[in-house]
């Protein structure tokens, strides 16, 4: 238990020195892949609060794709074709996740949906574009889209970085996600 607490303190200290550039914390965040993101990792990132947000923003335009970005049962026999997307989407999701919760209430369960429920703030956890009728277009984003999304998050951060995490969370609950314009979380 003591070594776990020491590890958590070290992790939190690392997040505090992250300037959105390259350091251990940003490297830690960059090396998270959807296949191995665990409840413990979500909790660590959540505990970092707003200190990890600049690092997460820096990673949004990472030029890599994964088969399943978002929330879909990995044991499902059906994988939706729009689930393959840029990994930067999960970093944007982690920003939204940090802002959406005051705390994490872990749910113990035997199936995937129960275990993932504390971390799922959108049904699929992916970003798609909207058509002229404001309906989601279920297809993967382009790299240009990811650059625009990063810019959106960067602009939001520049306007809000002086606010406390409590104020940021309250505003998120009132105003909705950071993501806006032609993009929507589903």
């Amino acid at each position: 238990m003591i070594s776990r607490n020491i590890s958590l303190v070290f992790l939190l200290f690392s997040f505090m020195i992250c300037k959105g550039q390259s350091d251990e914390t940003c490297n830690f965040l960059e090396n998270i892949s959807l296949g191995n993101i665990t409840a413990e990792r979500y909790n660590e990132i959540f505990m970092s609060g707003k200190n990890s947000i600049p690092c997460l923003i820096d990673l949004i335009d990472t030029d890599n794709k994964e088969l399943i970005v978002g929330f879909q049962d990995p044991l499902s026999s059906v994988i939706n074709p729009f689930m393959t997307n840029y990994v930067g989407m999960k970093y944007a999701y982690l920003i939204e996740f940090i802002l959406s919760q005051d705390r994490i209430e872990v749910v113990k369960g035997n199936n995937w949906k129960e275990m993932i429920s504390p971390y799922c703030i959108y049904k699929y956890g992916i970003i798609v574009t909207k058509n002229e009728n404001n309906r989601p277009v279920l297809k993967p984003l382009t790299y240009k889209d990811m650059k625009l999304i990063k810019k959106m998050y960067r602009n939001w951060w520049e306007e809000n970085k002086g606010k406390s995490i409590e104020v940021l969370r309250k505003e998120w609950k009132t105003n909705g996600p950071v993501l806006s314009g032609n993009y929507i979380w589903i």
Side-chain angles (χ1 to χ4, degrees):
M1 183 68 171
I2 292 174
S3 67
R4 181 181 164 106
N5 289 340
I6 291 170
S7 296
L8 187 57
V9 168
F10 176 77
L11 180 67
L12 292 175
F13 176 75
S14 296
F15 278 114
M16 287 188 262
I17 63 172
C18 182
K19 297 177 178 77
Q21 308 305 318
S22 60
D23 68 7
E24 282 186 39
T25 301
C26 292
N27 290 338
F28 160 76
L29 291 169
E30 187 173 8
N31 290 322
I32 294 172
S33 73
L34 189 66
N36 68 11
I37 191 164
T38 62
E40 184 176 81
R41 291 289 184 235
Y42 268 107
N43 294 339
E44 289 171 352
I45 293 164
F46 178 79
M47 293 301 294
S48 73
K50 72 181 241 184
N51 294 321
S52 63
I53 291 175
C55 298
L56 292 166
I57 290 170
D58 283 350
L59 296 168
I60 290 174
D61 64 347
T62 300
D63 191 14
N64 294 324
K65 287 187 172 186
E66 285 187 359
L67 177 60
I68 301 175
V69 173
F71 290 96
Q72 183 165 328
D73 186 345
L75 300 178
S76 172
S77 61
V78 177
I79 295 179
N80 294 315
F82 62 91
M83 298 301 267
T84 300
N85 232 312
Y86 286 95
V87 297
M89 195 176 294
K90 71 182 165 194
Y91 301 114
Y93 184 88
L94 288 167
I95 294 167
E96 301 286 347
F97 178 72
I98 290 167
L99 297 173
S100 71
Q101 309 288 317
D102 292 324
R103 67 183 187 282
I104 300 172
E105 293 190 30
V106 177
V107 176
K108 297 192 185 219
N110 295 328
N111 68 46
W112 184 83
K113 275 189 173 181
E114 289 174 337
M115 292 183 298
I116 204 69
S117 65
Y119 312 101
C120 190
I121 55 175
Y122 304 106
K123 183 175 181 177
Y124 294 105
I126 62 169
I127 302 169
V128 295
T129 57
K130 296 186 282 189
N131 66 19
E132 59 276 353
N133 297 326
N134 273 344
R135 300 196 110 163
V137 178
L138 302 180
K139 67 178 188 175
L141 298 180
T142 66
Y143 188 61
K144 182 180 176 184
D145 289 320
M146 297 310 296
K147 290 280 195 189
L148 292 170
I149 290 167
K150 178 180 180 174
K151 184 177 180 182
M152 191 179 306
Y153 277 89
R154 171 84 54 220
N155 291 341
W156 168 83
W157 179 247
E158 290 304 317
E159 292 176 11
N160 292 284
K161 65 184 174 185
K163 297 176 182 175
S164 70
I165 189 65
E166 293 80 16
V167 169
L168 293 173
R169 287 176 175 155
K170 183 177 181 184
E171 289 177 356
W172 190 93
K173 288 174 185 159
T174 301
N175 302 326
V178 174
L179 191 68
S180 62
N182 194 39
Y183 302 98
I184 186 171
W185 283 102
I186 61 168

